[in-house]
Amino acid sequence: MVLWGFRHSLPMAAAILLVAAGGQSIAADNGMVIDPAVNLAALSAQRDKTASAASRQLGLVQGRLDGTRGLRVEGRNIHSSSLAIRFNGRSTEKSAAFETRHLLAPEKERRTRRGGVWFAGDVTLDSARAEDPRRSGVYSNGVAFGGDLRLNPRLLIGNATGAAFGRTGFGAEGTLSAQSLSNTLYGSLTTSRDTYLDLAIGASHGSFLDGQSGAASPFSGNGSANQFFGQARYSRKLERGRFRFRSYGQADFQKMKLDTSRRAGTGEPTSGSASSEQLNFALGIRGETSARMRKGTMTQHVTVEVSRTTQRTSAVAEGSAERAMTFSRSRSGKVAARTGLDWAISDRANMRAEYSLSSVMADFHPQQKVSARFKLSF
């Protein structure tokens, strides 16, 4: 017996095929079975976490490159570390964040350091585990350790190794643990006084464990993900009087292969595999102006960005009595704008407030966000 399901809409088309396994049921001896939808859900969760880890790694590398541009003219480099430790309580009032940032320059200006090492990332301590034992007490969206070398005032190359880990709920009563390791080669080429080109390419491997116990249908499973990713960013600065502008264009790609295996009770294992490709283009411009205040300097800024994402995924998963195949292809656009104030009160105190607005292009439903932050260094 063959069952077809087909859905089509403007942003995405998807097809699902279920095939009964005939007399070859691989149900457990105790009668428990695994629906192929469980394997498909596991593959989807693995894909999301793998993509998130790669995006975070690229973001940390981009932050490192931004921190070295001021030393380009002298052909120098710098050591740096930046770690954010967040404490998530049961309420906003009981949550806090502690961030450290350290820059180590040569002791004397005449010394030229061409090589530099750096560390960046975040770690979260979450009290949610007290209420939901499926959650991690400690997890990280990504940390990275790297080193780079400035070959000349125009060219810098480097390598970074990153990791991410955590555990979340999976399904109604299950858990999903994820670990990811990645390595990224990167470089920055200054093509003129006001322009630069950043390039990064990397690979990652992720491992996953999931399971469900004490439920009507207990199971245990594992999976893996192998991914290639990269980014290219070109930017140009323009100044007009008190106003400074920086336009940029950016392209990102991710290509991954995933697999999963799951067993119910003492039954035969079921499996699934998936592939995913994603390409994203973004164009944006940021404008800012600064003014001296009685206390420090205040900078006003506005950023507008338009992006376009194309994604294609396919998956094949088997259950205890049937198989499922899915395919989807989507194209989506997004527009975002944000504006805010940065007040550098002193060398040790900084205050920031920002308002952002974003929406997909096909169906305009704006999402708004307001944030404020005060930072004190000591």
Side-chain angles (χ1 to χ4, degrees):
M1 179 177 63
V2 179
L3 301 178
W4 280 92
F6 184 79
R7 181 182 63 180
H8 176 74
S9 60
L10 180 61
M12 178 176 68
I16 302 175
L17 173 64
L18 298 178
V19 182
Q24 304 176 358
S25 174
I26 51 176
D29 296 339
N30 54 12
M32 293 180 294
V33 298
I34 291 182
D35 190 286
V38 176
N39 285 332
L40 290 177
L43 290 170
S44 178
Q46 291 174 198
R47 181 176 62 247
D48 292 344
K49 289 187 175 296
T50 302
S52 176
S55 297
R56 178 58 172 159
Q57 177 79 354
L58 290 172
L60 294 174
V61 169
Q62 186 65 53
R64 166 60 180 178
L65 291 176
D66 289 341
T68 64
R69 303 196 200 283
L71 303 171
R72 181 194 64 78
V73 177
E74 294 84 6
R76 296 188 296 126
N77 206 342
I78 193 171
H79 301 318
S80 67
S81 65
S82 176
L83 177 64
I85 301 177
R86 298 183 174 90
F87 302 89
N88 289 346
R90 297 184 180 182
S91 63
T92 304
E93 292 77 10
K94 296 183 179 180
S95 300
F98 176 73
E99 297 187 20
T100 65
R101 182 172 178 83
H102 183 62
L103 303 176
L104 182 59
E107 295 180 1
K108 296 183 179 180
E109 289 294 333
R110 67 174 180 270
R111 295 182 181 178
T112 300
R113 172 182 291 153
R114 297 187 180 276
V117 295
W118 60 276
F119 172 81
D122 64 88
V123 176
T124 300
L125 307 179
D126 200 333
S127 65
R129 180 171 170 79
E131 298 179 355
D132 185 356
R134 303 184 301 166
R135 300 280 297 275
S136 289
V138 180
Y139 62 89
S140 173
N141 294 323
V143 293
F145 176 81
D148 41 49
L149 178 67
R150 186 169 294 283
L151 301 180
N152 56 56
R154 288 181 175 270
L155 180 61
L156 179 141
I157 59 173
N159 183 80
T161 299
F165 59 90
R167 185 176 66 187
T168 59
F170 175 62
E173 301 179 25
T175 61
L176 175 64
S177 299
Q179 295 180 343
S180 175
L181 293 176
S182 63
N183 192 76
T184 307
L185 297 172
Y186 63 90
S188 181
L189 174 65
T190 303
T191 55
S192 70
R193 185 176 66 90
D194 298 318
T195 62
Y196 64 80
L197 174 65
D198 293 342
L199 296 173
I201 186 169
S204 68
H205 174 76
S207 58
F208 305 88
L209 291 174
D210 64 79
Q212 181 170 283
S213 59
S217 301
F219 63 82
S220 60
N222 60 78
S224 65
N226 294 303
Q227 177 181 213
F228 291 99
F229 55 87
Q231 182 181 90
R233 181 183 179 93
Y234 180 80
S235 180
R236 179 178 177 84
K237 182 176 70 174
L238 178 66
E239 295 188 12
R240 287 292 183 269
R242 296 173 44 238
F243 298 94
R244 301 178 298 275
F245 301 91
R246 179 166 287 281
S247 60
Y248 61 88
Q250 181 172 305
D252 305 78
F253 80 90
Q254 296 179 355
K255 181 179 178 64
M256 67 183 78
K257 297 284 187 180
L258 311 105
D259 64 74
T260 189
S261 177
R262 197 151 285 95
R263 182 195 299 269
T266 58
E268 294 293 329
T270 64
S271 62
S273 61
S275 64
S276 177
E277 300 173 358
Q278 179 173 302
L279 185 61
N280 181 77
F281 294 98
L283 294 174
I285 185 169
R286 174 187 170 98
E288 64 178 33
T289 183
S290 301
R292 293 288 301 175
M293 311 293 290
R294 288 187 177 181
K295 291 286 187 178
T297 303
M298 181 172 291
T299 301
Q300 300 172 296
H301 61 85
V302 177
T303 303
V304 178
E305 181 181 285
V306 178
S307 61
R308 182 79 173 178
T309 301
T310 301
Q311 185 177 38
R312 182 176 60 184
T313 63
S314 62
V316 178
E318 66 177 19
S320 299
E322 59 186 9
R323 291 179 177 86
M325 292 177 284
T326 68
F327 174 82
S328 68
R329 177 179 294 170
S330 64
R331 294 184 179 89
S332 61
K334 183 179 180 181
V335 60
R338 60 182 180 271
T339 182
L341 296 172
D342 293 345
W343 185 12
I345 302 173
S346 66
D347 292 339
R348 296 181 177 273
N350 181 275
M351 181 177 293
R352 173 180 296 177
E354 188 174 89
Y355 168 77
S356 62
L357 177 71
S358 63
S359 176
V360 296
M361 295 181 181
D363 188 10
F364 188 74
H365 288 292
Q367 296 182 346
Q368 304 179 68
K369 181 180 178 181
V370 178
S371 62
R373 174 183 175 185
F374 177 76
K375 183 177 179 180
L376 180 64
S377 302
F378 53 90

